[in-house]
Amino acid sequence: MRILVVNPNTSASMTDRLRRELEGVKDRATELTVTNPAEGPAAIESAADEAQAIPPMLALIREAAPRHDAVVIACFSDPGLEEARTLVSIPVVGIEESSLHLAAQLGRFTILTSRCARVPAKVEHVEHLGLSSRLASVRPLEMGVLEMDADPDQARARILQVGAEAFREDGAEVIVLGCAGLAGHAVALGVALGLTVIDPSPVALATAEMLVRLGLTHSGAGTSARLRSGSM
Amino acid sequence: MRILVVNPNTSASMTDRLRRELEGVKDRATELTVTNPAEGPAAIESAADEAQAIPPMLALIREAAPRHDAVVIACFSDPGLEEARTLVSIPVVGIEESSLHLAAQLGRFTILTSRCARVPAKVEHVEHLGLSSRLASVRPLEMGVLEMDADPDQARARILQVGAEAFREDGAEVIVLGCAGLAGHAVALGVALGLTVIDPSPVALATAEMLVRLGLTHSGAGTSARLRSGSM
Amino acid sequence: MRILVVNPNTSASMTDRLRRELEGVKDRATELTVTNPAEGPAAIESAADEAQAIPPMLALIREAAPRHDAVVIACFSDPGLEEARTLVSIPVVGIEESSLHLAAQLGRFTILTSRCARVPAKVEHVEHLGLSSRLASVRPLEMGVLEMDADPDQARARILQVGAEAFREDGAEVIVLGCAGLAGHAVALGVALGLTVIDPSPVALATAEMLVRLGLTHSGAGTSARLRSGSM
Amino acid sequence: MRILVVNPNTSASMTDRLRRELEGVKDRATELTVTNPAEGPAAIESAADEAQAIPPMLALIREAAPRHDAVVIACFSDPGLEEARTLVSIPVVGIEESSLHLAAQLGRFTILTSRCARVPAKVEHVEHLGLSSRLASVRPLEMGVLEMDADPDQARARILQVGAEAFREDGAEVIVLGCAGLAGHAVALGVALGLTVIDPSPVALATAEMLVRLGLTHSGAGTSARLRSGSM
Amino acid sequence: MRILVVNPNTSASMTDRLRRELEGVKDRATELTVTNPAEGPAAIESAADEAQAIPPMLALIREAAPRHDAVVIACFSDPGLEEARTLVSIPVVGIEESSLHLAAQLGRFTILTSRCARVPAKVEHVEHLGLSSRLASVRPLEMGVLEMDADPDQARARILQVGAEAFREDGAEVIVLGCAGLAGHAVALGVALGLTVIDPSPVALATAEMLVRLGLTHSGAGTSARLRSGSM
Amino acid sequence: MRILVVNPNTSASMTDRLRRELEGVKDRATELTVTNPAEGPAAIESAADEAQAIPPMLALIREAAPRHDAVVIACFSDPGLEEARTLVSIPVVGIEESSLHLAAQLGRFTILTSRCARVPAKVEHVEHLGLSSRLASVRPLEMGVLEMDADPDQARARILQVGAEAFREDGAEVIVLGCAGLAGHAVALGVALGLTVIDPSPVALATAEMLVRLGLTHSGAGTSARLRSGSM
């Protein structure tokens, strides 16, 4: 099967890193296309950046969909996920949505984000998905992606420290690495922390593969019924 | 005070109609600028249209903000509302958010939308605002904006019929006219139905005027605390 | 337009202070009547006081309604708000309800109360309004109204301290001054704290003016439908 | 033990009927005082009536408390319940609160009210108690108390009809007779319907007896902690 | 009336202690049978233990039901409560369910458990009962049942300490003694703490007595209606 | 990888059918063991049956775990799922939990059950998983497993009819086949209905394969923090 993975920002180095990571975990039968739009912000650091990134990403997905079996949007805020689903009929998987639904099956989870300004948005996403009762906390690492790249040992140490605090103070059983700069650390971190550590991109890819294999996709059916409060 | 009202689509006739309506209800001291972006979709009929409309609208708001005291985004789904607030420090008011918070103070409310495909999104917005306990229902009129324009008598008749059903079957006390083509009908409809009928655009304008008069705006403060589940 | 503002307790000095504050912020076209019932408790410090205060206040509102266009109940617990709406058809605005719905549009908010014994009631009110997801915290100042009057510098200092804690520890973006003794401090406090600070009485007055201008009021319609769980 | 039962309206005939009913179900060791305030509305048919009834009822409870071991407030909307608890240290039991907490232990319940105008208030009470997930529906009988008195056969027939609809259409397993005029019908109705039928006043009396026997009452402790959103 | 009280584990000493405690608080007219299954785990310390304990307990209840008027399941997690209700038509009362519904009527409550590993399960139970808005906290004592037996002075001291913390930090007004080893301490602890302290087993017994006296039981009616989301 | 699939009842024919179905969808690299306990009820038709089935199933899982990489519990109520996770460290997947978390990513879903008596339990499960906001409805087919086996054409026709009603009346976009007798119909039904139709057992197997491939399992960590209300 052919899976299209889109990094919504225009950073080629980030796309390359994502490709290397996913090539290592994909099903043997999967052909991966990992790419990014030609236009848009080089990094998504605000709601306004995200709004700028969505239209070129949607154009890319619409153009490429006929040559693929499923799409993964590889940014932890799942930008444009709902919109893409209205444009194409193949499955579209968001790394946040798919990884949080898996995390919810494994235990109470804490999401690690890079910056504290992102914390309220993450809590809102979890509420929107209906998974608040399984959320232990959202904790910022207070390290930027560039810092993590420049000093991976420091990044690992910081994750271990904040993850241990999440376990001790918030009752976390599962840690979700909520930003791209953290990719590839999951297995080692899980062992070191004694907790389940989830790297979202591989989960999204595996979910896309599962959907294709089972012949499932989002529904194209509009909802025709009048909805009363409480019925949605 | 100077208020910028932005119609996020590029339909000049819709912008003109909005201008005429708001000129009739504004405070005497208010100078209105009612405008639309030069680029983007002519009508917002899907989530993908909305994504396309947001970037040019944000550019327009950012450019015009220094010459205004407040901004109103005049589309009932409040596209780009949160994003605009991160770009400018003057108040930004959405017609859906402001009119639903007012409706919630007046009674159990029903939102009328043009098409049933919009119903689930409306219910989600109400949940997101925390106002579900005051929502009676969301009901589609099953008439497009163009049809309403072409046959206003038919539009009025349809609103009266669906509004009466909302009162009788859903316990609605307040009707919110959830799409632009319905503007200007509120007072007559309220009398005919014996219910409170809310036209969102005037409410948003009056809310913007109130915020300017009271010296209030959204907070520019980031939230610095770690948020535990349940505290947001 | 003529707006009746009722201080539900019988303290004439509090009524005078409220009148002075609102005269400074009202619309030029508004004629204000700020008054209090002749009978009832001099201060509302408990649920039992509140129960005593409501009947004379309702009598006053019913008697004065024919000569006014809207009513504001000026006590932060909104005593008798629902009851008054069943007695008169002009808009009745509560300072807590109207200011919290506005606060919810501006950011995550913290309510400052005078005494900690009031904290649980405030949290319940916010839940009842459906605005819990926007509530950062309720924090007591631990100063009575009389102390605030006697030592305004101390009151200001205490508000700055607790407001800063609410920002730092609870992620508050907006501060709502949840008791009358705090009136008039909002603008200066907002500047000093770098947060949005809301004084409820002016918001209630401006909301009443908006409702009159737009021809809106609470619905007199009873709800005739059988309500299933989840539909209210 | 001595239990004070207060009918909050001033109808002596209703108080007499309540006394006869409770004398038949009380514990042998219980001395009952069933009374009503000398002043206030003869019937509680609106929120404003309720506000009028509370102050004289609170005065009566405060005066009589030293000679009793517990108080029952015998009106299905539990008027003044919270306020009474701040005035006396003996247990104060509301017939709505106690009967709904018992109903929740026995199955999904439907509340029967006399008039449809009361339906939204009942749904809100259930939400306030946190018992919504156990509520099947609230259904009006559309018969007044006087009609029920005048034609008890018709009242029984109407309850059987609406109860059967609640079972068939709403999944009700338990019926709560949510108004005083229905008292005394519970056992026969339960047999006829094949459902559990709860008469609230005897449940409230038995709950008061249980609290006295176990030495329990509401807490007089104020809550001293700052409450964050989500912690209440 | 004859009440069957079942200790679901096979510890005869625990059954004896429970019998002694309940003999002291039962109604004079009540004949108590306090027993335990012959087979199953000697203590319930995990979810797997609980699963093992349920089948023999259900067999015991089914066999003994014809000779009794009500059943109490005396383990704070209410194991097998729903299942037992499908097997017998006499009332079946759980000590957790009945005591938490009573606690909710008396104030914001904190549950004390023996071990922290039980804390998440308790919070989930409270959510399942719909009583979260009345829950102050769940706090572990970090003492086992055997330790409590061996050193009752130490147990009392620990409860006083944790109860005082719950009052001070969580706003608790009512303390529920959430494990069997704590029985018999309630009255003295309530006095010492100045809070309401609830011992669950006597509450469950009194609730069973009330149900028998009032002729009430859980409904045997299946729910026949299709349930939409939000209606359950 | 070696996956153990347990049918919790003792019906060998049902186990055989499940084995045939899963052999057709498993990953080529997966070695399947599909089995059932030697003891326990032949069919799970009540809560009491379920309680009887859990202990032998747990014994089977504990014994077989060392020879497997993951476990699937193949009964739509996920009996013993939490308990099994406390006994083994390899992933344990429930067919209801995993399929509902996938359904929630694909659209608003309706669960089809065999009998209406199961409807309330299903709605509660969905609430417990936090997925209520994505639930359209739970609808009974009113056909038993044996009837479905005896007349598959009739079964298909009934599913098409009820699925179409769920789409039309409840706004369902996704149908979850909530009982074992429905297995194998999903693809054809999806085409015929124009909706996404999910067969839970293959989803559970694919989820187990994904967890093994990604090295993930439920957390063995106890939660050590004190949990305040709202933080779980």
Side-chain angles (χ1 to χ4, degrees):
Chain A
M1 71 186 77
R2 294 150 306 164
I3 311 256
L4 173 70
V5 179
V6 187
N7 166 21
N9 67 43
T10 54
S11 156
S13 68
M14 213 155 145
T15 305
D16 289 343
R17 185 167 38 179
L18 182 65
R19 186 182 300 111
R20 283 194 303 275
E21 188 195 1
L22 294 181
E23 287 289 349
V25 296
K26 75 181 186 64
D27 191 286
R28 246 175 320 161
T30 298
E31 291 174 43
L32 272 188
T33 311
V34 183
T35 187
N36 57 256
E39 282 174 43
I44 295 181
E45 288 174 344
S46 70
D49 288 344
E50 196 170 302
Q52 300 290 342
I54 291 174
M57 186 192 73
L58 293 178
L60 186 160
I61 289 172
R62 179 144 50 172
E63 192 277 330
R67 301 184 305 279
H68 292 87
D69 298 303
V71 179
V72 170
I73 295 178
C75 173
F76 196 65
S77 55
D78 290 348
L81 179 61
E82 288 308 320
E83 291 86 345
R85 285 175 176 155
T86 68
L87 296 178
V88 303
S89 60
I90 57 175
V92 186
V93 177
I95 67 171
E96 179 171 326
E97 187 182 68
S98 59
S99 61
L100 296 188
H101 274 289
L102 194 72
Q105 298 178 56
L106 299 177
R108 277 165 52 81
F109 60 87
T110 283
I111 301 173
L112 302 190
T113 65
S114 51
R115 295 286 180 204
C116 68
R118 308 237 102 191
V119 170
K122 287 300 118 185
V123 176
E124 272 196 26
H125 287 198
V126 175
E127 282 181 1
H128 179 71
L129 295 172
L131 303 175
S132 299
S133 66
R134 301 292 269 170
L135 179 66
S137 58
V138 179
R139 280 180 175 260
L141 292 172
E142 295 301 351
M143 268 189 104
V145 171
L146 296 181
E147 290 173 85
M148 289 182 183
D149 272 2
D151 191 347
D153 288 350
Q154 168 68 7
R156 245 188 310 272
R158 185 88 186 106
I159 293 169
L160 286 176
Q161 180 197 330
V162 178
E165 287 167 9
F167 166 65
R168 211 169 47 236
E169 296 172 21
D170 309 334
E173 297 167 321
V174 174
I175 302 292
V176 180
L177 300 177
C179 68
L182 304 168
H185 296 277
V187 173
L189 289 166
V191 171
L193 278 168
L195 300 175
T196 299
V197 176
I198 293 181
D199 189 358
S201 300
V203 171
L205 177 60
T207 301
E209 291 169 345
M210 168 165 57
L211 290 171
V212 174
R213 226 170 81 199
L214 299 177
L216 296 172
T217 189
H218 54 281
S219 177
T223 56
S224 63
R226 172 178 63 85
L227 295 181
R228 305 201 9 179
S229 163
S231 69
M232 170 95 191
Chain B
M1 71 185 77
R2 294 150 306 164
I3 311 255
L4 174 70
V5 179
V6 187
N7 166 22
N9 67 43
T10 55
S11 157
S13 68
M14 213 156 146
T15 304
D16 289 344
R17 185 168 38 181
L18 182 65
R19 186 183 300 112
R20 282 194 303 275
E21 187 196 3
L22 294 182
E23 288 288 349
V25 297
K26 76 179 185 62
D27 191 286
R28 248 175 320 161
T30 297
E31 292 175 42
L32 273 188
T33 310
V34 184
T35 187
N36 57 254
E39 283 173 41
I44 296 181
E45 288 174 345
S46 70
D49 288 344
E50 195 170 302
Q52 299 291 341
I54 292 174
M57 186 192 72
L58 293 178
L60 187 159
I61 289 172
R62 180 144 50 173
E63 192 276 330
R67 300 184 305 279
H68 291 86
D69 297 303
V71 179
V72 170
I73 295 177
C75 174
F76 197 64
S77 55
D78 290 348
L81 179 61
E82 288 308 320
E83 293 86 345
R85 284 173 176 157
T86 67
L87 297 177
V88 303
S89 60
I90 56 174
V92 187
V93 176
I95 68 170
E96 179 170 327
E97 186 181 69
S98 59
S99 61
L100 296 187
H101 275 288
L102 194 71
Q105 298 178 55
L106 299 178
R108 277 165 53 79
F109 60 86
T110 282
I111 301 174
L112 301 189
T113 65
S114 50
R115 295 283 179 208
C116 68
R118 307 236 103 191
V119 170
K122 287 299 117 184
V123 176
E124 272 196 25
H125 285 198
V126 175
E127 282 180 2
H128 179 70
L129 295 173
L131 303 176
S132 298
S133 66
R134 301 291 270 171
L135 179 67
S137 59
V138 179
R139 280 180 175 261
L141 293 171
E142 294 302 349
M143 270 187 103
V145 169
L146 296 180
E147 288 173 88
M148 289 182 184
D149 272 2
D151 191 347
D153 287 349
Q154 169 67 9
R156 245 188 309 273
R158 186 89 186 104
I159 293 170
L160 285 177
Q161 181 197 328
V162 179
E165 288 168 9
F167 166 66
R168 210 171 47 237
E169 296 172 22
D170 309 334
E173 298 166 320
V174 174
I175 302 293
V176 180
L177 300 178
C179 67
L182 304 168
H185 295 278
V187 173
L189 289 166
V191 171
L193 277 168
L195 300 175
T196 299
V197 176
I198 292 182
D199 188 358
S201 300
V203 171
L205 176 60
T207 302
E209 292 169 345
M210 169 164 59
L211 291 170
V212 174
R213 226 169 82 198
L214 298 178
L216 295 172
T217 190
H218 55 279
S219 177
T223 58
S224 62
R226 172 177 65 84
L227 296 180
R228 303 198 14 176
S229 163
S231 70
M232 170 93 195
Chain C
M1 71 185 76
R2 293 150 307 164
I3 312 257
L4 174 70
V5 180
V6 187
N7 166 20
N9 66 44
T10 55
S11 157
S13 68
M14 213 156 146
T15 305
D16 289 343
R17 185 168 38 180
L18 182 65
R19 186 183 301 112
R20 282 195 303 275
E21 187 196 2
L22 294 181
E23 287 288 349
V25 297
K26 77 180 184 61
D27 190 286
R28 248 175 319 162
T30 298
E31 290 176 43
L32 273 187
T33 310
V34 184
T35 187
N36 56 255
E39 283 174 40
I44 296 180
E45 288 174 345
S46 70
D49 288 344
E50 196 170 302
Q52 301 290 340
I54 292 174
M57 186 193 71
L58 293 178
L60 186 160
I61 289 172
R62 179 143 51 172
E63 193 276 330
R67 300 184 306 278
H68 291 87
D69 298 301
V71 179
V72 170
I73 295 177
C75 173
F76 197 65
S77 55
D78 291 348
L81 179 62
E82 288 308 320
E83 292 85 346
R85 284 175 176 156
T86 67
L87 297 177
V88 302
S89 59
I90 56 174
V92 186
V93 177
I95 67 171
E96 179 170 327
E97 186 182 67
S98 59
S99 61
L100 296 188
H101 275 288
L102 194 73
Q105 299 177 54
L106 298 177
R108 278 164 52 79
F109 60 86
T110 282
I111 301 174
L112 302 189
T113 65
S114 51
R115 294 285 180 208
C116 67
R118 306 237 102 190
V119 170
K122 287 300 117 183
V123 176
E124 272 196 25
H125 286 198
V126 175
E127 282 180 2
H128 179 71
L129 295 172
L131 303 176
S132 298
S133 66
R134 301 291 269 171
L135 179 66
S137 58
V138 179
R139 280 180 175 261
L141 292 172
E142 295 300 349
M143 271 188 102
V145 170
L146 296 180
E147 288 173 87
M148 288 182 185
D149 273 2
D151 191 347
D153 287 348
Q154 168 67 9
R156 245 188 310 273
R158 186 88 186 105
I159 292 169
L160 286 178
Q161 180 197 330
V162 179
E165 288 167 9
F167 166 66
R168 212 171 45 238
E169 296 172 21
D170 309 334
E173 298 166 320
V174 174
I175 302 293
V176 180
L177 300 177
C179 69
L182 304 168
H185 295 279
V187 173
L189 289 166
V191 171
L193 277 168
L195 300 175
T196 299
V197 175
I198 292 182
D199 189 358
S201 299
V203 171
L205 176 59
T207 301
E209 291 169 345
M210 169 164 59
L211 290 170
V212 174
R213 227 170 81 199
L214 299 178
L216 295 172
T217 190
H218 54 279
S219 176
T223 57
S224 62
R226 170 177 66 85
L227 296 180
R228 304 196 13 172
S229 163
S231 69
M232 170 93 194
Chain D
M1 71 186 77
R2 294 150 307 163
I3 311 256
L4 173 70
V5 180
V6 187
N7 166 21
N9 67 43
T10 54
S11 156
S13 68
M14 211 155 147
T15 304
D16 289 343
R17 184 168 38 179
L18 181 66
R19 185 183 300 112
R20 283 194 303 274
E21 187 197 1
L22 295 181
E23 288 289 349
V25 296
K26 76 179 185 64
D27 192 286
R28 247 175 320 162
T30 297
E31 292 175 42
L32 273 188
T33 311
V34 184
T35 187
N36 57 255
E39 282 174 43
I44 295 181
E45 288 173 345
S46 69
D49 287 344
E50 196 170 302
Q52 300 290 341
I54 292 175
M57 186 193 73
L58 294 178
L60 186 160
I61 290 172
R62 179 144 49 173
E63 192 276 331
R67 301 184 305 279
H68 292 87
D69 298 302
V71 179
V72 170
I73 295 178
C75 173
F76 196 63
S77 55
D78 290 349
L81 179 61
E82 288 307 320
E83 292 86 345
R85 285 174 176 156
T86 67
L87 296 178
V88 303
S89 59
I90 57 175
V92 186
V93 177
I95 67 170
E96 179 171 326
E97 187 182 67
S98 60
S99 61
L100 296 188
H101 275 288
L102 194 72
Q105 298 177 56
L106 298 177
R108 277 164 54 79
F109 60 87
T110 283
I111 301 174
L112 301 189
T113 65
S114 51
R115 294 288 180 204
C116 67
R118 307 237 102 191
V119 170
K122 287 300 118 186
V123 176
E124 272 195 26
H125 286 198
V126 176
E127 282 181 1
H128 179 71
L129 295 173
L131 303 175
S132 299
S133 66
R134 301 293 268 171
L135 179 67
S137 58
V138 179
R139 280 180 175 260
L141 292 171
E142 295 301 349
M143 267 189 106
V145 171
L146 296 181
E147 290 173 86
M148 290 183 182
D149 272 3
D151 191 347
D153 287 349
Q154 168 68 9
R156 243 188 313 272
R158 185 88 187 107
I159 293 170
L160 285 176
Q161 180 197 329
V162 179
E165 287 168 10
F167 166 65
R168 210 170 47 237
E169 296 172 21
D170 309 335
E173 298 167 321
V174 174
I175 302 292
V176 180
L177 300 177
C179 68
L182 305 168
H185 295 277
V187 173
L189 288 166
V191 171
L193 278 168
L195 300 175
T196 299
V197 176
I198 293 182
D199 189 358
S201 299
V203 171
L205 177 60
T207 302
E209 292 169 346
M210 169 165 57
L211 290 170
V212 174
R213 225 171 82 199
L214 298 177
L216 295 172
T217 190
H218 54 281
S219 177
T223 57
S224 62
R226 170 178 64 85
L227 295 181
R228 303 200 13 177
S229 162
S231 68
M232 170 92 193
Chain E
M1 72 185 77
R2 295 150 307 164
I3 311 255
L4 173 70
V5 180
V6 187
N7 166 21
N9 67 44
T10 54
S11 155
S13 69
M14 212 155 147
T15 304
D16 289 344
R17 184 167 39 179
L18 182 66
R19 186 183 300 111
R20 283 194 303 275
E21 187 195 2
L22 294 181
E23 288 288 349
V25 296
K26 77 179 184 64
D27 191 285
R28 247 174 321 161
T30 297
E31 291 175 42
L32 273 187
T33 312
V34 184
T35 186
N36 57 254
E39 282 173 42
I44 296 181
E45 288 174 346
S46 70
D49 287 345
E50 196 171 301
Q52 300 290 341
I54 292 174
M57 185 192 73
L58 293 178
L60 186 160
I61 289 172
R62 179 144 50 172
E63 193 276 329
R67 301 184 305 281
H68 291 88
D69 299 301
V71 179
V72 170
I73 296 178
C75 173
F76 197 64
S77 56
D78 290 348
L81 178 60
E82 289 308 320
E83 292 85 345
R85 285 175 176 156
T86 67
L87 297 177
V88 302
S89 60
I90 56 174
V92 186
V93 177
I95 67 170
E96 178 171 327
E97 187 181 67
S98 60
S99 61
L100 295 188
H101 275 288
L102 195 72
Q105 298 177 56
L106 299 177
R108 277 164 53 79
F109 60 86
T110 282
I111 301 173
L112 301 189
T113 65
S114 52
R115 294 287 180 204
C116 67
R118 308 237 101 191
V119 170
K122 286 300 119 185
V123 176
E124 271 196 25
H125 286 197
V126 175
E127 283 181 1
H128 179 71
L129 295 173
L131 303 176
S132 298
S133 65
R134 301 291 270 171
L135 179 66
S137 58
V138 179
R139 281 180 174 260
L141 291 171
E142 296 300 351
M143 271 188 100
V145 171
L146 296 181
E147 289 173 86
M148 289 181 184
D149 272 3
D151 190 348
D153 288 348
Q154 169 67 10
R156 244 189 310 273
R158 185 89 186 106
I159 293 169
L160 285 177
Q161 179 197 330
V162 179
E165 287 167 9
F167 166 66
R168 211 170 46 237
E169 296 172 21
D170 309 335
E173 298 167 321
V174 174
I175 302 292
V176 180
L177 300 177
C179 69
L182 304 167
H185 295 278
V187 173
L189 289 166
V191 171
L193 276 169
L195 300 174
T196 298
V197 176
I198 292 182
D199 189 358
S201 300
V203 171
L205 176 59
T207 301
E209 292 170 343
M210 168 165 58
L211 290 170
V212 174
R213 225 170 82 198
L214 299 177
L216 295 172
T217 189
H218 55 281
S219 176
T223 58
S224 61
R226 168 178 67 86
L227 295 181
R228 303 198 15 176
S229 162
S231 70
M232 171 92 192
Chain F
M1 72 185 77
R2 294 150 307 163
I3 312 255
L4 173 72
V5 180
V6 187
N7 166 20
N9 66 44
T10 55
S11 156
S13 69
M14 211 155 147
T15 304
D16 290 343
R17 184 167 39 178
L18 182 65
R19 185 183 299 112
R20 282 195 303 275
E21 187 197 1
L22 294 182
E23 288 288 349
V25 297
K26 76 178 184 64
D27 191 286
R28 248 176 319 163
T30 298
E31 291 175 43
L32 273 188
T33 311
V34 183
T35 187
N36 58 254
E39 283 174 41
I44 296 181
E45 289 174 345
S46 70
D49 287 344
E50 196 171 302
Q52 300 290 342
I54 291 174
M57 185 192 73
L58 292 178
L60 186 160
I61 289 172
R62 181 144 49 174
E63 192 276 330
R67 301 184 305 280
H68 291 86
D69 298 302
V71 179
V72 170
I73 296 177
C75 173
F76 196 65
S77 56
D78 291 347
L81 179 61
E82 289 308 320
E83 291 86 344
R85 285 176 176 155
T86 67
L87 296 177
V88 303
S89 59
I90 57 174
V92 186
V93 177
I95 68 170
E96 178 171 327
E97 186 182 67
S98 60
S99 61
L100 295 188
H101 274 289
L102 195 71
Q105 299 177 55
L106 298 177
R108 278 164 53 80
F109 61 86
T110 282
I111 301 174
L112 302 189
T113 65
S114 51
R115 294 287 180 204
C116 68
R118 307 236 102 191
V119 170
K122 287 299 119 184
V123 176
E124 271 196 26
H125 286 198
V126 175
E127 283 181 0
H128 179 71
L129 294 173
L131 302 177
S132 298
S133 66
R134 302 292 270 171
L135 178 68
S137 57
V138 179
R139 280 180 175 261
L141 291 171
E142 295 301 350
M143 270 188 103
V145 171
L146 296 181
E147 289 173 87
M148 288 183 185
D149 272 3
D151 191 346
D153 288 348
Q154 168 68 9
R156 245 189 309 273
R158 185 89 186 106
I159 293 169
L160 285 177
Q161 179 197 330
V162 179
E165 287 167 9
F167 166 66
R168 210 170 47 237
E169 296 172 21
D170 308 336
E173 298 167 320
V174 174
I175 302 293
V176 180
L177 300 177
C179 69
L182 304 168
H185 295 277
V187 173
L189 289 166
V191 171
L193 277 169
L195 300 175
T196 299
V197 176
I198 293 182
D199 188 357
S201 300
V203 171
L205 176 59
T207 301
E209 292 170 345
M210 169 165 59
L211 290 171
V212 175
R213 224 170 83 199
L214 298 178
L216 295 172
T217 190
H218 54 281
S219 177
T223 57
S224 61
R226 169 178 65 86
L227 295 181
R228 304 198 14 176
S229 162
S231 70
M232 170 92 194

